[in-house]
Amino acid sequence: MSLPWGLGCLLLVGLGGCSVSEPPDGAPLKPIAAHEVPDAVPRAEPVLRAGNSSPYVVNGETYRVLPTAAGYRAEGIASWYGTRFHGRETANGEPYDLYGPTAAHRTLPIPSYLRVTNLANGRSMVVRVNDRGPFHADRVIDLSYGAAVRLGFAEAGTAPVRLEALALAGVDDRRDSEAGVYRYLQLGAFSSQETAESLRAQVAALVDAPVTVTPVEVHGRALNRVRVGPVRDEAHLESVRALLRARGLDPGQALP
């Protein structure tokens, strides 16, 4: 969860905005079977500012978000969170879905993808980290209720787990980018490296900005992404796009 309810209550009590009658967390009335909870599908999503403030402080403890999920591996106790947080915003602003294959972690970049293995029964699944928590020193991850069902510990409440970050090519770190400020043009992503290199050479001969081909993983497919940038400023970006249009080329998608 992005912020424990108890801490939120302390912050709001002075404003009269907190009610001590808020129901406790728990399982939903609608049952769900383990086979109904899918694996999260890893894809090369950018790491944005949203949800990645660092350092941040909760309950007097300071936490620092890792620069990358690459190579992350840990073992510890997993817990789960459910109805109290269902529909509320997670740390990156997405609504929490207690049935989805998601998780909260204190320090991994958001989003990250993890393979979680229940060491008590061997069950394993892939989850997507989109929230912060658990803020308990004795727990390593908070899983959605659905993930806990899939891994076989929803009734027990906790389980010993192994966490292994999944390596993805082409993940952009945009934590230092202002919202709405664009630095790149993405011209396409191709399965053929030859096609990507041909487009790169064609565009590089036209524009006064770097043009690169980089590997990226999209829904498990290895692609070759062609980009122009970084550009100097918005005016430079628009001049590059205008030149590409004038030569009959796709002006690309502007990215932070």
Side-chain angles (χ1 to χ4, degrees):
M1 73 260 350
S2 55
L3 189 67
W5 177 82
L7 180 58
C9 181
L10 291 174
L11 295 174
L12 291 171
V13 71
L15 300 176
C18 181
S19 170
V20 294
S21 63
E22 180 160 344
D25 198 12
L29 294 177
K30 175 186 175 184
I32 188 171
H35 71 269
E36 296 179 272
V37 185
D39 283 303
V41 179
R43 57 192 180 94
E45 300 177 78
V47 178
L48 307 175
R49 286 189 177 188
N52 289 300
S53 296
S54 183
Y56 68 97
V57 179
V58 175
N59 294 335
E61 293 290 328
T62 299
Y63 303 93
R64 287 178 168 79
V65 179
L66 296 171
T68 176
Y72 177 83
R73 183 183 172 95
E75 292 187 4
I77 299 299
S79 50
W80 60 266
Y81 60 124
T83 53
R84 182 194 293 175
F85 303 93
H86 186 62
R88 294 188 182 184
E89 286 190 358
T90 59
N92 69 348
E94 298 173 352
Y96 171 57
D97 177 3
L98 62 81
Y99 297 108
T102 61
H105 192 278
R106 291 187 290 269
T107 59
L108 282 171
I110 291 176
S112 296
Y113 291 87
L114 294 173
R115 176 163 292 282
V116 183
T117 302
N118 184 341
L119 297 177
N121 60 19
R123 294 190 188 180
S124 179
M125 72 175 297
V126 176
V127 300
R128 178 176 176 268
V129 176
N130 69 343
D131 208 356
R132 290 287 171 230
F135 298 107
H136 301 276
D138 62 339
R139 298 177 190 173
V140 69
I141 196 168
D142 241 354
L143 296 167
S144 68
Y145 166 78
V149 170
R150 168 85 178 268
L151 292 170
F153 72 93
E155 291 188 10
T158 61
V161 296
R162 178 186 303 117
L163 309 179
E164 299 166 287
L166 302 185
L168 292 172
V171 175
D172 289 333
D173 190 334
R174 302 183 196 160
R175 280 175 275 191
D176 62 347
S177 297
E178 297 286 347
V181 176
Y182 300 103
R183 300 183 300 168
Y184 295 90
L185 286 176
Q186 181 161 312
L187 304 182
F190 307 91
S191 57
S192 166
Q193 185 170 2
E194 182 179 354
T195 299
E197 289 290 350
S198 176
L199 178 60
R200 186 208 64 78
Q202 184 181 5
V203 174
L206 299 175
V207 303
D208 60 341
V211 186
T212 57
V213 175
T214 55
V216 63
E217 192 170 327
V218 179
H219 300 304
R221 294 180 61 208
L223 300 176
N224 299 279
R225 181 174 58 191
V226 183
R227 282 187 172 180
V228 179
V231 295
R232 295 186 296 273
D233 50 35
E234 293 293 312
H236 187 200
L237 182 143
E238 287 306 320
S239 70
V240 170
R241 300 191 85 180
L243 180 58
L244 292 175
R245 288 191 190 96
R247 298 300 179 94
L249 296 171
D250 189 319
Q253 176 188 2
L255 298 172

